[in-house]
DNA sequence: TTGAAAGCGATACCAG
DNA sequence: CTGGTATCGCTTTCAA
């Protein structure tokens, strides 16, 4: 059986309180007493029981990170940084996947309220789900990514501006017919949408909406007409879907001047589809992505994309979460992380 | 303040025990009593306190997954599956990064012993140094990946055979000078190794050693001489390092007939370096990887690689962990997951 | 079937 | 500076 504070106290000939004082090192303990206790601690190979501590303190020392799709390399980068930076603050990290199911997002909020985690970093998919936010008492919570709300702390980049900047870059390269890949498969307002409206499957994530908006803005500013036929629908932002959908598009349409992919992962699939079709990038068409994942720079050709300081992004999220955790009533804050366009070979001839 | 079982009991006019019975649904409760309790539960928006439950039961309902480098897409796939499949079993997942530091592995083991997690899935880099073997009482533990031991349950693939099979495939394509990418940067037994021996930086992970062994076996069987100059050292298995090291290699050596990269991520960097050098794959040289990550199929050209059923792999790990968790004295078991070579365009002319 | 009460392990309050 | 003691919320004997 495992040793408890009581056992340690007995062996050291002191009270449990003193042991606790030594362990937590808050109060002053007489050096000789401290030595005796530490001796006993080592002798019994004492390990504190976190459940007990959590029950007493009301804190578990753990936070949760919830992302829509853990399989994406982008998710891996976020997970990597959150785990690394949270560890520096002495927090453990529990990982959850929402798989774009608002139900899971609900579950998470109550799990946090069950004191299993002290706080939650959530990357929500659907703006509509902010309904979640209006319900009940919330645990310390920080949203990452693109949601339009003021109830909860949030860190994000300016998706509209980033998409606009990237589109401008493509326009500056002389492109006019610029396709986007990653809009909803069932366009908003189309016949099929009514059935799904308000449901979990409502088309269009916040990110896709904002990026589409930025793309439209840039086109309008340049006086280039918006052509819905250039908006290639794709709900699951994974390479296999992108390759399929772009492959099909190529078979049925004239080749666009450029492809603006809503993530680098989509760009990867797009490059693959173009390669399969024997279309050379950047000679015959251009391709750009979004996120600047580690792999982008090693794609063939290297990918032009939207970059932001991911470490600063995550650091900000943890800062905000720390604020909320130490003061439940602190006003929600929003941090915007700057972005920039990284121009690589995929858009320069 | 949050509602507790006591509050619910009071509201429903029953004892805490009855509430507990309703919640855990083990014993039979009279339907009308059950109804009253459930009413109260809903009314007070009751959420159980996991710390208290954990303290009482000695289990937290959480497992930990520790990987050396969370940034790799391969890690993302493992994390994705573990989270998904553990969730089906009602377990939460805490993620840790060991960064090849045995110290972190130690911390993990004690964390497990602190009842913060009920079990641990660990991908050790270098078992010689790993905390696992230096004993002490171990928590329920499953190793994933390549370790030669019998103390602890383990799930793995046959790395030697897989590397041998892949090398054979390259030989069958007519290759003789086959380079490998991913061996230790400081070769074992070389002058520099002594300084590091036994330290965390001791060269060569288990995976790299086993894959190298399989490669050597295939060469020997084919009567092809082993040429150390064809073993390209790389410790951190990330694309940027691979691109750098292969780029340098190309500048200084004759082009090999093929590159056998020890992970798909390394292959990605290698393809990039070859592309930069203007060398066509598969026309001038072949490239193969290991792991069959999702992205491999969309590389340019699509990558030949070693595939195994990742879902079965993770499922097995969770099964083994479950065994250990329910019976601490169960004999350690080892599960080998079968592999196969997936042949794609990068090795077929 | 349900109630009363003990106790899991760590901490904080209040004395001394 | 240190000792006793109540307490966190839940589960689980033991009785009724």
């Amino acid at each position: 059986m495992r040793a408890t504070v009581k056992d340690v106290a007995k062996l050291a000939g002191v009270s449990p309180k003193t042991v606790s004082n030594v362990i937590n090192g808050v109060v002053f303990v007489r050096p000789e007493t401290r030595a005796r206790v530490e001796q006993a601690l080592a002798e019994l190979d004492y390990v504190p029981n976190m459940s007990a501590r959590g029950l007493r303190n009301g804190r578990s020392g753990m936070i949760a990170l919830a992302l829509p799709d853990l399989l994406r390399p982008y998710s891996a980068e976020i997970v990597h940084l959150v785990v690394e930076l949270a560890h520096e603050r002495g927090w453990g990290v529990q990982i959850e996947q929402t798989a774009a199911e608002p139900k899971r997002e609900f579950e998470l909020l109550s799990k946090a309220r069950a004191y299993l985690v002290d706080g939650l970093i959530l990357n929500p998919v659907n703006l509509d789900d902010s309904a979640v936010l209006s319900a009940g008492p919330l645990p310390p919570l920080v949203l990452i990514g693109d949601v339009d709300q003021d109830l909860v702390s949030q860190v994000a980049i300016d998706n509209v501006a980033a998409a606009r900047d990237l589109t401008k870059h493509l326009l500056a390269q002389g492109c006019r017919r610029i396709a986007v890949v990653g809009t909803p498969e069932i366009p908003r307002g189309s016949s099929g949408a009514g059935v799904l409206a308000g449901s979990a499957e409502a088309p269009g994530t916040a990110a896709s909406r904002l990026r589409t908006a930025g793309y439209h803005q840039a086109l309008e500013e340049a006086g280039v007409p918006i052509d819905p036929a250039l908006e290639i629908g794709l709900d699951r932002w994974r390479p296999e879907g992108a390759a399929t959908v772009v492959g099909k598009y190529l078979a049925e349409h004239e080749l666009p001047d450029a492809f603006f992919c809503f993530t680098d992962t989509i760009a990867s699939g797009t490059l693959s589809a173009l390669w399969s079709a024997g279309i050379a990038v950047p000679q015959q068409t251009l391709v750009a992505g979004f996120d600047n994942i580690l792999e982008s720079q090693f794609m063939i050709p290297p990918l032009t994309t939207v970059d932001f300081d991911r470490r600063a992004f995550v650091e900000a999220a943890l800062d905000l979460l720390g604020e909320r955790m130490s003061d439940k009533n602190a006003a929600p804050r929003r941090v915007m992380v700057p972005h920039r366009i990284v121009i690589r070979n995929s858009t320069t001839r």
Side-chain angles (χ1 to χ4, degrees), chain A:
Chain A
M1 211 43 211
R2 173 178 339 294
T4 72
V5 273
K6 232 174 246 176
D7 302 323
V8 175
K10 197 180 298 174
L11 181 60
V14 298
S15 85
K17 169 63 167 125
T18 306
V19 176
S20 174
N21 282 340
V22 170
I23 292 169
N24 299 306
V26 196
V27 210
F28 236 80
V29 181
R30 205 186 328 147
E32 58 188 68
T33 312
R34 163 178 295 273
R36 272 217 319 287
V37 171
E38 275 168 351
Q39 164 80 24
L41 245 23
E43 198 160 318
L44 294 175
D45 188 23
Y46 171 78
V47 179
N49 182 320
M50 291 317 224
S51 292
R53 185 177 285 176
L55 173 57
R56 183 63 242 215
N57 295 345
R59 295 183 306 98
S60 64
M62 200 140 48
I63 64 171
L65 169 65
L67 300 175
D69 183 3
L70 293 171
L71 202 47
R72 296 173 50 192
Y74 175 78
S75 298
E77 297 195 11
I78 297 290
V79 168
H80 170 78
L81 283 168
V82 169
V83 167
E84 183 178 314
L85 298 177
H87 184 255
E88 288 175 6
R89 298 168 193 232
W91 300 338
V93 180
Q94 188 180 345
I95 302 289
E96 301 282 348
Q97 183 168 47
T98 52
E101 293 172 45
K103 203 186 70 191
R104 296 280 330 245
E105 295 180 1
F106 261 115
E107 287 174 18
L108 284 171
L109 293 175
S110 35
K111 187 177 281 180
R113 295 194 324 164
Y115 286 126
L116 226 183
V117 296
D118 299 335
L120 178 57
I121 298 179
L122 174 65
N123 183 351
V125 244
N126 274 309
L127 184 58
D128 314 332
D129 304 341
S130 56
V132 167
L133 308 179
S134 52
L138 290 175
L141 175 64
V142 172
L143 300 180
I144 57 178
D146 330 284
V147 198
D148 205 22
Q149 55 79 40
D150 296 302
L151 291 165
V152 175
S153 283
Q154 171 178 13
V155 38
I157 70 165
D158 187 339
N159 270 274
V160 176
R164 192 178 53 222
D165 293 347
L166 186 50
T167 308
K168 275 185 185 163
H169 161 67
L170 294 172
L171 289 165
Q173 299 298 306
C175 301
R176 282 300 167 269
R177 298 184 56 254
I178 300 172
V180 286
V181 189
T183 53
E185 288 179 18
I186 299 169
R188 298 171 77 70
S190 88
S191 58
V195 194
L196 298 165
S199 86
E201 304 296 321
T205 63
S208 108
R209 284 196 292 272
L210 295 171
R211 291 173 195 181
T212 303
Y215 159 74
H216 285 167
Q217 279 184 18
L219 293 184
E220 277 165 15
E221 286 173 19
V224 174
I226 291 173
D227 179 0
L230 285 169
E231 299 182 6
I232 305 177
L234 177 69
D235 288 332
R236 287 198 95 190
W237 288 359
R238 290 209 184 152
E240 64 272 29
T244 306
V245 89
V246 171
K248 191 178 297 179
Y249 185 89
L250 292 173
E252 298 169 355
H253 299 77
E254 197 187 344
L255 182 67
D257 298 334
F259 291 84
F260 170 15
C261 305
F262 280 177
T263 70
D264 288 357
T265 300
I266 294 176
S268 169
T270 299
L271 285 171
S272 172
L274 289 167
W275 179 83
S276 296
I279 297 167
V281 178
Q283 291 78 12
Q284 294 176 261
T285 189
L286 307 186
V287 175
F290 202 111
D291 286 340
N292 195 23
I293 60 175
L294 186 56
E295 289 75 13
S296 305
Q297 133 175 223
F298 305 103
M299 291 183 188
I300 295 176
L303 187 70
T304 291
T305 187
V306 175
D307 180 48
F308 59 95
D309 185 339
R310 203 107 58 215
R311 182 171 284 264
F313 185 88
V314 169
E315 198 92 67
L318 292 174
D319 283 344
L320 291 181
L321 191 60
E323 276 177 19
R324 307 289 299 179
M325 281 165 42
S326 53
D327 178 8
K328 285 227 167 201
N329 299 317
R333 285 206 299 137
R334 181 189 302 216
V335 173
M336 295 300 273
V337 172
H339 65 268
R340 66 193 183 98
I341 308 296
V342 178
I343 296 171
R344 300 208 185 95
N345 218 261
S346 70
T347 62
T348 50
R349 335 213 183 215

